[in-house]
Amino acid sequence: MNEISTINILGEEFQPRSDKTLFWRSENCLIVSDIHLGKTATFRVEGIPVPEGITDSDLGKLSLALIETAAKKLIITGDLFHSPKGKTTFIIDRFKRFRDENKDIEINLITGNHDIRSGSLHSELCIAETDSLIIREKFRFIHENDNKPGYYNFSGHIHPAIRLKGKGRQSLRLPCFYFAKDYALLPAFGGFTGTAVIYPVNDSIIYAIADNELVKLTS
Amino acid sequence: MKEFYQSTGYKKVEEFFLSQGFNPHRFQIDCWYAYNQGLSGLIHTATGSGKTYAALMGHLIEAINNANSNKNEVSGLKLLWITPLRALANDTLKTVSYAVSQLIPDYNVELRTGDTSQSKRAKQAKQLPEIFITTPESLSLLISYPNFFELFSGIKSVVIDEWHELLGSKRGVLTELGLARLKRVNPELKIWGISATLGNTATAMEVLLGNKKVSGKLIGAGVSKNTEIETLIPETIENFPWAGHTGLKMIEKVCELIDSANSCLVFTNTRSQSEIWYQAILEQREDFAGIIGLHHGSIEKKERNAVENLLSEGKMKCVICTSSLDLGVDFSPVDLVIQIGSPKGIARLLQRAGRSGHKPGGVSKLVCVPANSLELIEFAAVREGIMASFIEPREPVVKAFDVLVQHAVTVAIGTGFNKNEFFNEVKSTHCYRELTHDEFDNILEFVCKGGKSLRAYKEFAKVKFDENFYFVDDKQIAKRHRMAIGTITSEPEVIVKYMNGTKLGTLEESFAARLSKGDNFIFSGKSLEFVRLRDLVLYVKKSNSGEGPVPQWLGGRMPLSTMLAKQVRERLNNYPSENSKFVEITAISPLLELQKKWSEIPSNGTLLVERKLSDEGMHLFFYPFEGRLVHEGLASLLAYRIGKNIPASFSLAYDDYGFELLTDTEFELAPDEIAVLFSEENLIDDILQIINSSEMTKSKFRDVARIAGLIFQGYPGSNKPVKQIQATGSLFFEVFTKYDPDNLLLKQAVREVLESQLERKRMIETLKRICKSQIILRETKYFTPLSFPLMASRIREKYSTQKVSERIKKMQIQLEKAVLKSK
């Protein structure tokens, strides 16, 4: 395990983890974004052959993160499921199994653009779903960042990555956490998701994820 | 019975020729005779010598002769004409239509390319004209129609134009599969190819005709075109050439040459170079404004067409271009071709030379301009190669699974197929003649079930089957597949537009991403200012600065061909005995003398290795003279093999002459130890190790995945939500590597890296040659003329371009001083 990184936001300690989850200790809460369950299934249904395997891997990783942090609460900042076509019985079964294994966890889903299309199953799965969530009056969770004033906004949606340049014309593109002064962008958790390169503004803190390690960068 | 030459058709065609003011050539008559006997064949010749009519008239003669006996014959397609380029299709349409209007006025001649309008396509989907001109991709599209057999039921013959351009590529494979399908419609189908002269014309014909049942005739046009090739010798020879040079030092002389010509083409090897030269010429000669043009693959098509038209009307003094003008269209006014930088291949230079004097019996005139002094040797080598009639072969592609996957779905969407019949059809092509039943079953499994392991591909269905019959009944799948047909792959590109929406062309995303608001750059021969970048569209406005970077485009850089590499080695080996024969060699003698003094001139039967210590560490330079790709492979191989025994990390550089290993660990290496490093033993295992640890397979996989239909680029002009099923090549690569490592497409990507990226065959040949050679190891005090460009290229990879050129300039000064001292 690498060292624990923490970042202080408005007096609270947040812990970005190399598994692309964010842990909020004083709330005992794990935050994760853009899982896109059933994305490979969507491809298959549409006639594009992509093997299965990601679902088990993603849900396994998430269970492990819950165990490691002993979190009691899980906030998903959107895009739990990828599309209606991808919500096959197989995928639903797997998610139900995950829910059973983590019965005691309170799950809050912030509705993402993909969730709107995918339709709701969430009461059956004991998931509370809202468009946004505010905790302790100043921390707000939303799928797509809208920079709402008066809050520190946590969001996902864009699957942020950072481009690093090195010697020998090397260029690396790494998924990252991005903490600006009044908002944070979370990396996409799902194993079959792409990334979009972001260009940092001054005074932001970035945690890039390189082969299961966090690399802290400041702009 | 009347003799063939007495037939109505033959006489009419002969009269047509006479009315145009010339007699048919011998080779044309040979073609018509062969066609009349029911034969297929390949016509190979220099450009501009009547190939189109050679291939066309056989069919027309037959049609005229049969007109009386076959009154009831159905209308519709008779002759299919396949051409690799849309630009060429228009030109062919003109030539063919004219002859047909004179000979068989009832015949319709039409074309169809990606540019053809929807309504015309819809009409064509019901009935095709008698003569139909199209591209391999459009043929594939027609195969995907359920009425394919009806559409083509009357087909008598096919002409494949510029076959050399298709051969050796996956588009060639697509053509082979299309022809096999057409032969199912008409087993008597006559297939005629037209090709530039290749080193392996017989193979080229074999690939074209497929299985041996068809007998073919190889017809070489006896009209030999005169080619005059000269080299422009620089006034001063730099002893330390740098591959990054653009040759601009020669600009005055080049402008004089342009002046002396009626109309001329200036070929550069890269798109960036063409932009740079265009700017430089305009700066040098303001009076050329408006009469010189720029032409390369990333410039908007309209703009390119305009330049082409002006050129053929004789209104262009000069066009700076890349391989984009290598092919096809007649530019009769052109009487001079200038080649900037080495062409890297004999056939390519010949082809370009043929762009001037583009009329039967005309003289091709070409002037070579070296971009750096070492290229003088390459020009001497290429001239000798041409004199000795050495021309590179084009190796056909074998067993491209991705293309077969695409084709199988195409056919399933169209008429559907019976498993055994389709197997035989595919196997009748050259590409898949060694296809096994197992491999074929794998392909079917892939399109029906997604892959081998059932669990991994639940819910997947693309092609369905009922016993032995395979078909697609999902309209969405069919639609998406039709959009994706084709084998040309491209990098994600950014469209460049003025604010008013006028398109200028395309750039690579990586270049656009580096610009920000207000930045100036040069593109499409214009000075532009960045306004904004949104959704892969870069908005610009005109700028007056005339400054800024020129975009770089990846790819397209060819390695020195095997044949030319051999010629280069010969020139060095024979030094100085050929000084009187080649002005180029005389000119470069000072550089070679210096190389001899400080090290050695490479000769046959030896491999020169230089070892040099510097502040940076230990440099090892090897000079096999086998082209960049082989050197890239060899450099990795040696680094890997040395690294097994000595813990060291290397920085690698390679060019067409050799490669460099640089390490901060200093160690001794005896000649016999070096020889062992080049051993063939464990070669494939070692290479696979290298491949696995590099990015090569990943980037190759993107192409394979796109051809096989995994990567879907969306419907053009539609904003349907396809994002849900879009993913990048590297994402697919990761998932396949993890969850289906035996996947067909993954295996193919590895094979393609081996064959085309690392040129496995050529690498093995090289290793064999080196094993028989004596290793000559020289400790050098200075960087030699041969090692300098390698060292320079490595630095270029480390720093940004501008600083680099400055730093390199500085180094050149230092080195020049060293020469003076040692004198």
Side-chain angles (χ1 to χ4, degrees):
Chain A
M1 271 310 278
N2 37 324
E3 278 174 54
I4 291 172
S5 316
T6 50
I7 178 165
N8 190 298
I9 299 168
L10 306 180
E12 283 291 314
E13 299 264 300
F14 287 85
Q15 225 180 77
R17 294 163 46 88
S18 60
D19 58 9
K20 300 182 190 167
T21 61
L22 179 69
F23 184 54
W24 184 1
R25 180 158 299 282
S26 71
E27 276 286 313
N28 246 331
C29 172
L30 192 69
I31 305 151
V32 62
S33 194
D34 300 272
I35 306 178
H36 289 268
L37 287 174
K39 184 168 173 190
T40 59
T42 312
F43 276 60
R44 289 191 294 274
V45 171
E46 294 281 356
I48 300 169
V50 193
E52 185 45 71
I54 286 283
T55 316
D56 285 346
S57 152
D58 283 350
L59 292 174
K61 259 171 55 191
L62 192 54
S63 287
L64 189 64
L66 289 167
I67 293 166
E68 280 177 0
T69 57
K72 292 276 166 259
K73 193 164 157 184
L74 177 67
I75 298 178
I76 302 166
T77 50
D79 292 356
L80 170 59
F81 287 100
H82 183 69
S83 81
K85 280 188 181 165
K87 270 180 151 175
T88 60
T89 35
F90 169 78
I91 301 290
I92 299 292
D93 282 352
R94 288 302 153 112
F95 189 76
K96 277 184 180 155
R97 198 197 290 174
F98 165 84
R99 194 69 185 101
D100 283 347
E101 284 165 8
N102 301 284
K103 266 199 230 68
D104 305 331
I105 311 278
E106 176 192 338
I107 302 182
N108 284 290
L109 171 67
I110 313 296
T111 314
N113 51 327
H114 281 269
D115 297 306
I116 298 172
R117 279 202 301 270
S118 302
S120 186
L121 247 183
H122 304 142
S123 56
E124 187 188 335
L125 297 168
C126 299
I127 296 176
E129 190 177 341
T130 49
D131 286 342
S132 66
L133 187 67
I134 295 165
I135 299 180
R136 299 201 191 167
E137 287 168 0
K138 51 191 174 188
F139 297 105
R140 183 164 168 271
F141 298 86
I142 180 102
H143 179 57
E144 197 175 343
N145 186 27
D146 55 359
N147 277 317
K148 187 161 182 172
Y151 298 99
Y152 191 91
N153 292 294
F154 289 91
S155 68
H157 185 60
I158 67 168
H159 304 195
I162 192 94
R163 205 193 290 277
L164 299 178
K165 294 214 165 152
K167 284 182 180 176
R169 265 198 211 169
Q170 282 183 36
S171 158
L172 272 178
R173 182 179 170 139
L174 300 170
C176 69
F177 291 91
Y178 181 79
F179 296 96
K181 215 171 105 245
D182 50 5
Y183 69 92
L185 303 175
L186 307 180
F189 181 79
F192 191 61
T193 54
T195 53
V197 173
I198 55 165
Y199 298 93
V201 295
N202 282 343
D203 302 324
S204 49
I205 295 167
I206 297 138
Y207 290 91
I209 298 144
D211 289 332
N212 299 320
E213 267 190 56
L214 280 182
V215 184
K216 185 178 175 180
L217 306 155
T218 39
S219 63
Chain B
M1 210 187 108
K2 264 201 264 184
E3 291 288 332
F4 175 57
Y5 69 90
Q6 294 169 322
S7 67
T8 327
Y10 190 96
K11 291 207 144 159
K12 270 196 156 178
V13 167
E14 207 171 27
E15 278 162 26
F16 170 75
F17 266 76
L18 292 174
S19 73
Q20 305 300 306
F22 43 90
N23 282 308
H25 287 297
R26 183 71 246 166
F27 83 94
Q28 291 173 319
I29 297 171
D30 286 348
C31 285
W32 308 337
Y33 266 85
Y35 187 97
N36 185 53
Q37 288 159 12
L39 296 177
S40 296
L42 181 73
I43 307 162
H44 60 97
T45 161
T47 42
S49 44
K51 291 177 296 190
T52 305
Y53 285 164
L56 174 71
M57 296 304 179
H59 176 86
L60 294 189
I61 294 171
E62 181 188 64
I64 295 169
N65 287 344
N66 290 348
N68 303 322
S69 51
N70 276 341
K71 281 269 186 247
N72 317 329
E73 197 169 312
V74 287
S75 58
L77 183 75
K78 304 279 192 308
L79 168 65
L80 180 69
W81 193 288
I82 297 176
T83 168
L85 273 187
R86 291 177 202 174
L88 221 57
N90 281 310
D91 205 51
T92 307
L93 178 71
K94 267 187 232 157
T95 316
V96 173
S97 299
Y98 179 69
V100 168
S101 69
Q102 302 294 307
L103 292 163
I104 315 180
D106 305 352
Y107 258 36
N108 286 312
V109 187
E110 283 175 23
L111 63 80
R112 172 185 179 135
T113 64
D115 305 334
T116 309
S117 72
Q118 277 298 333
S119 59
K120 185 126 194 193
R121 282 183 196 207
K123 218 184 107 204
Q124 285 169 350
K126 288 194 193 95
Q127 179 164 20
L128 292 171
E130 278 74 14
I131 298 180
F132 189 52
I133 302 165
T134 191
T135 58
E137 289 75 18
S138 289
L139 170 61
S140 204
L141 211 54
L142 288 165
I143 291 175
S144 79
Y145 291 146
N147 62 343
F148 164 75
F149 284 125
E150 289 142 57
L151 278 175
F152 286 83
S153 60
I155 191 164
K156 297 271 193 293
S157 55
V158 187
V159 173
I160 291 91
D161 211 346
E162 308 269 3
W163 173 233
H164 62 276
E165 197 55 35
L166 293 167
L167 179 73
S169 74
K170 289 183 181 176
R171 300 184 71 203
V173 176
L174 199 65
T175 312
E176 285 180 58
L177 287 166
L179 289 172
R181 191 107 196 104
L182 292 173
K183 275 189 258 175
R184 287 280 302 281
V185 183
N186 176 5
E188 305 289 308
L189 186 75
K190 285 174 280 235
I191 301 168
W192 281 86
I194 302 176
S195 162
T197 306
L198 292 172
N200 56 343
T201 25
T203 309
M205 182 170 80
E206 209 181 300
V207 177
L208 183 67
L209 303 190
N211 64 355
K212 294 280 158 54
K213 277 179 206 160
V214 208
S215 43
K217 198 165 165 83
L218 209 51
I219 295 181
V223 220
S224 89
K225 214 160 117 175
N226 252 327
T227 310
E228 284 174 16
I229 299 177
E230 277 171 34
T231 302
L232 205 58
I233 308 289
E235 271 164 27
T236 53
I237 300 290
E238 290 156 356
N239 284 335
F240 300 100
W242 170 36
H245 277 178
T246 47
L248 282 178
K249 269 169 77 181
M250 315 279 275
I251 185 123
E252 273 180 46
K253 282 189 173 174
V254 169
C255 285
E256 280 168 28
L257 277 171
I258 296 173
D259 245 346
S260 74
N262 171 31
S263 179
C264 97
L265 292 178
V266 178
F267 280 99
T268 63
N269 286 338
T270 67
R271 283 169 270 188
S272 310
Q273 270 195 358
S274 68
E275 295 265 359
I276 292 168
W277 268 86
Y278 179 78
Q279 293 299 327
I281 292 175
L282 273 184
E283 263 169 45
Q284 188 80 12
R285 292 290 300 268
E286 283 176 0
D287 56 318
F288 280 172
I291 52 169
I292 72 169
L294 177 64
H295 192 290
H296 64 69
S298 293
I299 291 179
E300 181 57 18
K301 202 176 68 208
K302 261 191 194 161
E303 182 103 16
R304 274 185 279 157
N305 286 345
V307 169
E308 284 169 30
N309 289 336
L310 289 171
L311 195 57
S312 44
E313 288 162 16
K315 289 178 187 158
M316 278 267 151
K317 181 78 184 165
C318 165
V319 174
I320 327 295
C321 58
T322 62
S323 52
S324 60
L325 280 186
D326 267 356
L327 273 193
V329 193
D330 276 2
F331 298 122
S332 339
V334 173
D335 57 355
L336 174 69
V337 170
I338 299 173
Q339 163 73 34
I340 312 270
S342 166
K344 302 293 175 196
I346 300 165
R348 186 170 309 111
L349 193 75
L350 263 184
Q351 172 104 17
R352 289 182 176 173
R355 309 305 289 136
S356 75
H358 203 288
K359 4 179 149 103
V363 174
S364 303
K365 203 172 165 225
L366 185 136
V367 178
C368 303
V369 180
N372 67 50
S373 39
L374 275 172
E375 285 189 341
L376 284 167
I377 306 174
E378 290 183 48
F379 286 135
V382 84
R383 288 206 295 129
E384 179 63 19
I386 288 174
M387 272 185 261
S389 301
F390 287 133
I391 294 173
E392 289 91 359
R394 288 240 174 149
E395 298 299 335
V397 178
V398 177
K399 275 193 194 175
F401 288 138
D402 50 351
V403 183
L404 185 50
V405 162
Q406 187 189 90
H407 184 69
V409 179
T410 304
V411 175
I413 288 173
T415 55
F417 60 83
N418 170 285
K419 185 176 166 182
N420 293 328
E421 284 171 12
F422 190 57
F423 177 74
N424 292 332
E425 178 185 322
V426 169
K427 212 172 151 65
S428 77
T429 63
H430 182 276
C431 180
Y432 303 101
R433 64 182 169 175
E434 314 226 317
L435 186 75
T436 64
H437 277 282
D438 261 3
E439 287 165 338
F440 185 68
D441 286 345
N442 280 344
I443 302 267
L444 291 185
E445 207 152 39
F446 184 80
V447 297
C448 295
K449 295 175 192 161
K452 266 217 173 283
S453 74
L454 267 180
R455 196 195 75 87
Y457 295 93
K458 340 169 128 274
E459 312 103 10
F460 175 81
K462 190 168 195 173
V463 175
K464 295 179 180 165
F465 59 98
D466 183 0
E467 285 187 39
N468 280 323
F469 188 74
Y470 289 72
F471 61 98
V472 169
D473 59 3
D474 183 324
K475 284 206 172 120
Q476 267 318 104
I477 286 178
K479 188 176 173 195
R480 212 181 305 129
H481 182 77
R482 287 198 182 105
M483 299 300 326
I485 278 180
T487 49
I488 306 174
T489 61
S490 60
E491 289 294 308
E493 291 205 315
V494 167
I495 299 169
V496 186
K497 275 185 185 177
Y498 280 133
M499 297 302 286
N500 68 11
T502 312
K503 270 205 258 174
L504 289 169
T506 54
L507 290 177
E508 281 188 11
E509 197 183 358
S510 57
F511 177 80
R514 282 203 304 272
L515 298 170
S516 47
K517 197 172 157 64
D519 282 358
N520 291 309
F521 65 101
I522 309 281
F523 173 65
S524 188
K526 298 166 181 73
S527 180
L528 302 168
E529 186 187 323
F530 181 106
V531 179
R532 67 162 183 264
L533 177 64
R534 185 173 297 165
D535 293 336
L536 291 182
V537 180
L538 174 64
Y539 290 95
V540 295
K541 59 184 183 196
K542 275 191 188 143
S543 151
N544 295 322
S545 81
E547 281 174 6
V550 168
Q552 296 275 346
W553 286 267
L554 283 173
R557 272 181 63 196
M558 307 295 282
L560 196 64
S561 79
T562 310
M563 234 164 215
L564 187 52
K566 188 160 186 298
Q567 288 298 322
V568 169
R569 291 198 300 271
E570 288 296 324
R571 301 288 79 71
L572 288 172
N573 182 66
N574 298 346
Y575 180 80
S577 67
E578 292 180 332
N579 278 16
S580 54
K581 189 172 174 189
F582 297 103
V583 282
E584 295 93 342
I585 303 291
T586 315
I588 202 176
S589 297
L591 181 149
L592 292 176
E593 286 301 323
L594 191 65
Q595 174 71 28
K596 196 151 119 191
K597 191 169 175 187
W598 285 356
S599 170
E600 196 90 21
I601 296 177
S603 60
N604 290 349
T606 65
L607 173 74
L608 174 64
V609 182
E610 292 173 356
R611 184 171 177 271
K612 158 96 178 88
L613 300 175
S614 80
D615 295 347
E616 288 182 291
M618 182 179 75
H619 307 251
L620 289 169
F621 298 99
F622 303 80
Y623 304 104
F625 283 83
E626 272 297 350
R628 202 161 33 86
L629 295 183
V630 167
H631 293 157
E632 181 183 356
L634 285 180
S636 320
L637 181 71
L638 257 66
Y640 173 76
R641 285 181 171 177
I642 295 175
K644 274 206 276 195
N645 298 320
I646 303 166
S649 64
F650 298 93
S651 143
L652 314 178
Y654 30 84
D655 64 17
D656 277 327
Y657 302 159
F659 58 92
E660 178 201 7
L661 306 184
L662 168 65
T663 171
D664 48 13
T665 328
E666 198 180 307
F667 52 85
E668 296 289 325
L669 210 55
D672 54 330
E673 288 173 302
I674 294 173
V676 174
L677 294 173
F678 285 96
S679 142
E680 263 188 90
E681 215 173 303
N682 288 332
L683 177 66
I684 293 302
D685 284 348
D686 288 353
I687 292 183
L688 285 174
Q689 284 291 336
I690 299 163
I691 289 180
N692 284 339
S693 58
S694 77
E695 290 279 300
M696 284 187 240
T697 318
K698 207 187 222 180
S699 57
K700 203 71 185 172
F701 184 75
R702 183 172 44 211
D703 296 350
V704 172
R706 192 172 291 147
I707 293 167
L710 265 53
I711 298 175
F712 179 57
Q713 288 169 312
Y715 307 102
S718 134
N719 44 10
K720 284 196 177 148
V722 287
K723 278 224 156 121
Q724 283 177 38
I725 46 163
Q726 276 178 331
T728 60
S730 57
L731 209 47
F732 278 113
F733 182 79
E734 278 164 33
V735 180
F736 277 107
T737 318
K738 246 189 206 158
Y739 302 108
D740 191 6
D742 289 332
N743 186 278
L744 198 75
L745 300 179
L746 271 184
K747 283 187 179 163
Q748 193 190 323
V750 171
R751 215 183 56 197
E752 282 186 22
V753 170
L754 271 177
E755 301 300 334
S756 58
Q757 181 75 35
L758 296 175
E759 296 195 293
R760 185 180 62 102
K761 264 196 206 151
R762 194 173 167 187
M763 194 156 149
I764 292 173
E765 294 299 316
T766 308
L767 288 177
K768 284 204 169 107
R769 180 167 66 82
I770 292 173
C771 283
K772 280 187 237 145
S773 304
Q774 187 198 346
I775 307 283
I776 299 198
L777 178 64
R778 288 282 175 267
E779 302 279 337
T780 65
K781 209 167 156 192
Y782 307 106
F783 288 109
T784 62
L786 283 180
S787 68
F788 183 80
L790 278 167
M791 190 195 48
S793 78
R794 183 182 50 75
I795 291 169
R796 250 164 53 133
E797 284 190 4
K798 259 192 175 171
Y799 300 95
S800 84
T801 2
Q802 270 222 308
K803 280 179 197 157
V804 177
S805 56
E806 272 167 32
R807 181 163 170 186
I808 287 168
K809 262 186 226 154
K810 226 189 270 167
M811 296 180 72
Q812 269 175 316
I813 294 162
Q814 281 168 8
L815 284 163
E816 295 284 3
K817 277 182 195 155
V819 182
L820 291 176
K821 237 188 267 167
S822 75
K823 273 177 188 165

